Amino acid sequence: MKFSRFSVAVAMSSALVVSACTGADTPADTAPATAGTADSTEDAEATQTTEAPADEETETATGDAAQTTGDAADTTAGADDAAVTGDAATTTAMTTDAGTADLSVEDAEQIAAAVLEDRLAYYQADDDEREEALELAYDRSAMEAARGVMALRGVTGDPAEVEAEEPAEANVLAISREDDTPEQLILVQTVPEDEVPLLHLMASEDGESSNFRIIWEAPMLPGTSVPTFDRRSVGSPTQDRGAGDLAEAPRDTLRTLAGYINWPQPDETPDYRTHGYSPAVRRAAESQAAAVEGQATLQERNWLVSDDIRTLLFEDGSAFIMGSLLRDTKFTVNQGAVLTPPEAFTVFADSDSLSQEAVLRTTIMVGMRAPSEEVEFKPEMIAAREQLIDAWGS
């Protein structure tokens, strides 16, 4: 069976299992476990132990490649083991809303292309120039994730961008609409060769074109699509604080997701569609807990990075919520036991053995479609990314 590249990425980032030892010098019989990958038909998994609804959808492993034609673009995308195939899908947005975008379509496309050039320059920069290049391309949690990718390149290998000859083509999906705030947003999709489609949110806090940076980016999940935004020349409304016409405030939607993927899993779980993401996270945690059983206990906690939330409204009034979570995966070592950290851990913490605790910190960028009061559906994950950014222990 082929697994989506996202499923493999979850397995890799979540499978940084700390191997257990029964003593300082004697390895235990329990070998480090590798996290399970997300089976495309297994969102309602057998290991669900609560009576609350599990993920009910059946995802697909293939999908349509995303294309944009004209000002009004509906984007559908999917991924199957580093392949994107299918027919291009376009939809004409039938908006009658009065409004003006923060930027012209031409300016937004030029800015997006320039930011993607800076993004590529970061991954190809020499070591002594990389931090400066990072600050030209990224900000906020996306900056920390990009820094983590390159910090771990000796363990996980070079990202594809290192060998790329040119940046991926920018496909501008949405531009924020003029309002009383200076911040401007551009939502961009790229489809790198032989890769899963990526979504990038670019922002300029003061509205200056030279200050746009990528503040959020994540690959689309298998079988997902991005619904229609208002025409780019009209611009897409943003939702700052509060719920407005949405079923609930964006930060509450993301907080619920954060609690959902804690470990141990809470008794009450939301009825969200996650396209294989939450089952993969649960299996990874189960595998890690089993790997150190008898030597340490595992606890995972996720929390919202409040300042990172950005929300663009679709044409139908539902919302695309983009935000970041932080996860601490904490191993509390039993008395008399010693944990041997993996290479990825020692990239961030110079520890050969751990007798008290080990903590892995991961940044998680998620994109969710959320219902409005007029448009009802289950909140649905469209994109997600996990990246180890720090580790420590004693």
Side-chain angles (χ1 to χ4, degrees):
M1 173 178 288
K2 292 184 177 180
F3 297 106
S4 72
R5 286 181 59 85
F6 172 74
S7 299
V8 175
V10 168
M12 290 178 63
S13 65
S14 299
L16 299 170
V17 178
V18 181
S19 59
C21 298
T22 55
D25 301 315
T26 307
D29 294 334
T30 306
T34 301
T37 51
D39 191 323
S40 62
T41 61
E42 202 177 18
D43 231 358
E45 62 182 302
T47 56
Q48 180 76 20
T49 59
T50 70
E51 295 180 359
D55 295 348
E56 295 174 354
E57 76 277 12
T58 300
E59 63 184 84
T60 59
T62 59
D64 294 329
Q67 297 286 340
T68 300
T69 302
D71 263 355
D74 177 32
T75 305
T76 57
D80 179 18
D81 200 25
V84 180
T85 59
D87 298 328
T90 59
T91 302
T92 301
M94 301 300 292
T95 181
T96 58
D97 292 342
T100 303
D102 280 323
L103 298 160
S104 70
V105 175
E106 181 180 5
D107 286 347
E109 290 176 338
Q110 291 176 353
I111 290 169
V115 173
L116 290 176
E117 287 181 1
D118 290 337
R119 178 182 183 274
L120 183 63
Y122 163 69
Y123 290 108
Q124 297 184 345
D126 295 333
D127 291 344
D128 57 350
E129 299 175 347
R130 183 164 295 120
E131 192 66 22
E132 181 179 354
L134 176 68
E135 294 176 358
L136 291 175
Y138 286 103
D139 200 0
R140 298 184 178 274
S141 293
M143 174 183 282
E144 294 302 317
R147 187 182 283 122
V149 169
M150 296 307 284
L152 288 165
R153 62 189 298 195
V155 179
T156 59
D158 286 336
E161 289 85 352
V162 171
E163 300 297 331
E165 296 182 358
E166 58 185 12
E169 183 177 355
N171 178 12
V172 175
L173 302 182
I175 305 168
S176 58
R177 183 177 298 179
E178 284 185 350
D179 55 23
D180 57 359
T181 62
E183 184 177 65
Q184 298 179 358
L185 303 174
I186 306 173
L187 180 62
V188 176
Q189 185 193 58
T190 59
V191 186
E193 185 177 358
D194 297 330
E195 292 288 340
V196 172
L198 286 170
L199 299 178
H200 317 260
L201 182 65
M202 303 175 182
S204 172
E205 292 186 1
D206 58 8
E208 292 294 325
S209 298
S210 60
N211 291 334
F212 272 90
R213 302 290 187 272
I214 298 170
I215 65 169
W216 175 96
E217 66 180 3
M220 295 183 69
L221 295 168
T224 62
S225 64
V226 178
T228 306
F229 289 99
D230 284 311
R231 288 184 293 114
R232 296 178 297 175
S233 57
V234 170
S236 298
T238 59
Q239 178 72 37
D240 187 13
R241 293 185 177 273
D245 292 331
L246 301 178
E248 67 177 355
R251 65 186 58 247
D252 292 336
T253 299
L254 294 182
R255 282 197 184 104
T256 299
L257 176 67
Y260 184 19
I261 56 176
N262 283 342
W263 181 261
Q265 190 178 29
D267 292 335
E268 296 185 5
T269 57
D271 194 10
Y272 282 5
R273 297 187 66 200
T274 70
H275 293 278
Y277 174 76
S278 57
V281 171
R282 288 195 292 271
R283 283 193 291 269
E286 289 171 351
S287 296
Q288 291 180 98
V292 295
E293 186 176 5
Q295 286 77 45
T297 56
L298 171 67
Q299 183 180 58
E300 287 190 336
R301 286 292 177 264
N302 303 272
W303 67 94
L304 181 65
V305 183
S306 296
D307 291 343
D308 278 4
I309 303 171
R310 299 294 184 276
T311 303
L312 290 168
L313 300 185
F314 292 116
E315 181 197 29
D316 64 5
S318 64
F320 186 40
I321 304 170
M322 293 155 282
S324 302
L325 310 175
L326 284 174
R327 173 190 299 145
D328 278 356
T329 302
K330 182 178 180 180
F331 296 84
T332 302
V333 185
N334 294 347
Q335 185 174 4
V338 175
L339 302 183
T340 302
E343 187 178 0
F345 183 96
T346 58
V347 166
F348 301 102
D350 186 15
S351 300
D352 295 331
S353 61
L354 303 162
S355 58
Q356 296 183 15
E357 68 174 15
V359 182
L360 301 163
R361 175 160 291 178
T362 300
T363 189
I364 308 165
M365 284 176 277
V366 297
M368 295 191 68
R369 185 187 179 203
S372 68
E373 293 177 352
E374 300 297 326
V375 183
E376 297 182 2
F377 54 86
K378 295 179 183 180
E380 176 186 18
M381 291 185 69
I382 291 177
R385 176 188 178 190
E386 297 196 354
Q387 177 61 49
L388 182 68
I389 60 171
D390 201 1
W392 62 91
S394 60

